[in-house]
Amino acid sequence: YAEAPKLRLDKVFTIPFRYRKFLLCMIVMFVWNYIGNLNNGLWNYHLLNHLHFSYTVINIVTMLYTLILLCTGAFWQKLLHRYSWIKTFGIACLIFVPTEVFFFLMSPETSWIFLPNSMIQNLCSVGLNLAYANILYMNLPEENSTAHIAFYSVGVNLFAFLGLYVGTEISSITGDTPIWFLNMEFYSVQFTTLARGICMFALGLL
């Protein structure tokens, strides 16, 4: 067998910039990993300690994703075939945005919206995850594909870290001390959901 050429680090950070369509896909994937980690773990802390949900309720909502996947997977597959992976991803993002706003405004008095809002998010997540799984390969150049995949791996991990860092910094502004905003009581972690909504709106318009 012919020896495979060694991957050069400089190619990882230079070659991908020659392919505009590939870079567009990378922007979508990088931003999505940033969004996904803005309140990763922090949101459950908020639900448990500020809104006084039980672990049982949170876990049930999480497990319902599998049921929704089984019930709506065919629907999302039809959308994926009718439109492109990117367009379907964008549609799901835009539907997702209002749910982040509702979660931003959710208080102990309006905690009833948690279940229906979570169901809508689970529904959208099916489409988002199905589309996301294929975006990498949409415009992946055959030439130097290893360098492009390495660029993807570095980017998604970097943006995931940035999302986690920014979310932690936002949540630590007031910590467990609520502040008054829009004549309502808010915890700083709630602003991570608002940030997610804004980022998802921008991502959906790409």
Side-chain angles (χ1 to χ4, degrees), residues 50 171-180 185-189:
H50 302 152
S171 300
S172 65
I173 293 174
T174 62
D176 292 324
T177 303
I179 59 174
W180 282 94
E185 196 175 70
F186 286 86
Y187 292 91
S188 53
V189 67

Side-chain angles (χ1 to χ4, degrees), residues 26-36 159 199 203 206:
M26 290 302 96
I27 290 172
V28 170
M29 302 188 86
F30 293 168
V31 174
W32 180 244
N33 278 272
Y34 173 83
I35 293 170
F159 276 79
C199 290
L203 193 59
L206 282 178

Side-chain angles (χ1 to χ4, degrees), residues 25 29 77 80 85 128-139:
C25 292
M29 302 188 86
Q77 288 287 358
L80 289 168
W85 301 106
L128 289 167
N129 291 333
L130 287 174
Y132 180 89
N134 292 276
I135 290 176
L136 170 62
Y137 305 102
M138 277 183 56
N139 296 299

Side-chain angles (χ1 to χ4, degrees), residues 71-97:
C71 294
T72 65
F75 164 77
W76 284 108
Q77 288 287 358
K78 288 180 181 179
L79 283 183
L80 289 168
H81 288 297
R82 182 174 180 180
Y83 304 104
S84 67
W85 301 106
I86 291 288
K87 284 185 179 179
T88 302
F89 189 88
I91 291 169
C93 276
L94 293 176
I95 298 173
F96 207 103
V97 169

Side-chain angles (χ1 to χ4, degrees), residues 3-20:
E3 184 178 352
K6 292 182 179 180
L7 179 64
R8 290 172 47 187
L9 188 62
D10 60 326
K11 287 188 175 183
V12 173
F13 298 103
T14 55
I15 291 177
F17 289 93
R18 301 175 188 172
Y19 301 89
R20 183 176 176 275

Side-chain angles (χ1 to χ4, degrees), residues 35 39 43 63-64 81 84 90 92 149 166 174-175 179 182 191 203:
I35 293 170
N39 60 11
W43 186 245
M63 289 187 295
L64 283 174
H81 288 297
S84 67
I149 293 174
V166 171
T174 62
I179 59 174
L182 299 176
F191 288 90
L203 193 59

Side-chain angles (χ1 to χ4, degrees), residues 15-198:
I15 291 177
F17 289 93
R18 301 175 188 172
Y19 301 89
R20 183 176 176 275
K21 290 184 178 180
F22 175 76
L23 277 180
L24 176 61
C25 292
M26 290 302 96
I27 290 172
V28 170
M29 302 188 86
F30 293 168
V31 174
W32 180 244
N33 278 272
Y34 173 83
I35 293 170
N37 286 275
L38 269 175
N39 60 11
N40 189 13
L42 301 169
W43 186 245
N44 281 351
Y45 176 86
H46 173 65
L47 295 177
L48 291 166
N49 294 279
H50 302 152
L51 299 179
H52 310 297
F53 283 94
S54 67
Y55 278 108
T56 302
V57 171
I58 296 172
N59 288 333
I60 287 174
V61 168
T62 303
M63 289 187 295
L64 283 174
Y65 171 81
T66 303
L67 178 62
I68 293 174
L69 170 62
L70 294 173
C71 294
T72 65
F75 164 77
W76 284 108
Q77 288 287 358
K78 288 180 181 179
L79 283 183
L80 289 168
H81 288 297
R82 182 174 180 180
Y83 304 104
S84 67
W85 301 106
I86 291 288
K87 284 185 179 179
T88 302
F89 189 88
I91 291 169
C93 276
L94 293 176
I95 298 173
F96 207 103
V97 169
T99 67
E100 292 294 325
V101 176
F102 287 137
F103 273 153
F104 168 65
L105 298 172
M106 187 171 65
S107 66
E109 292 75 25
T110 58
S111 59
W112 60 268
I113 69 174
F114 175 70
L115 184 57
N117 214 42
S118 295
M119 293 302 96
I120 296 171
Q121 286 200 344
N122 282 341
L123 173 64
C124 294
S125 294
V126 174
L128 289 167
N129 291 333
L130 287 174
Y132 180 89
N134 292 276
I135 290 176
L136 170 62
Y137 305 102
M138 277 183 56
N139 296 299
L140 180 64
E142 293 184 10
E143 184 182 3
N144 295 304
S145 60
T146 303
H148 290 87
I149 293 174
F151 176 76
Y152 153 79
S153 298
V154 172
V156 294
N157 284 287
L158 175 61
F159 276 79
F161 169 77
L162 288 174
L164 186 60
Y165 175 78
V166 171
T168 302
E169 289 298 307
I170 292 173
S171 300
S172 65
I173 293 174
T174 62
D176 292 324
T177 303
I179 59 174
W180 282 94
F181 180 69
L182 299 176
N183 204 32
M184 296 173 61
E185 196 175 70
F186 286 86
Y187 292 91
S188 53
V189 67
Q190 289 173 258
F191 288 90
T192 61
T193 65
L194 183 61
R196 277 167 54 96
I198 293 171

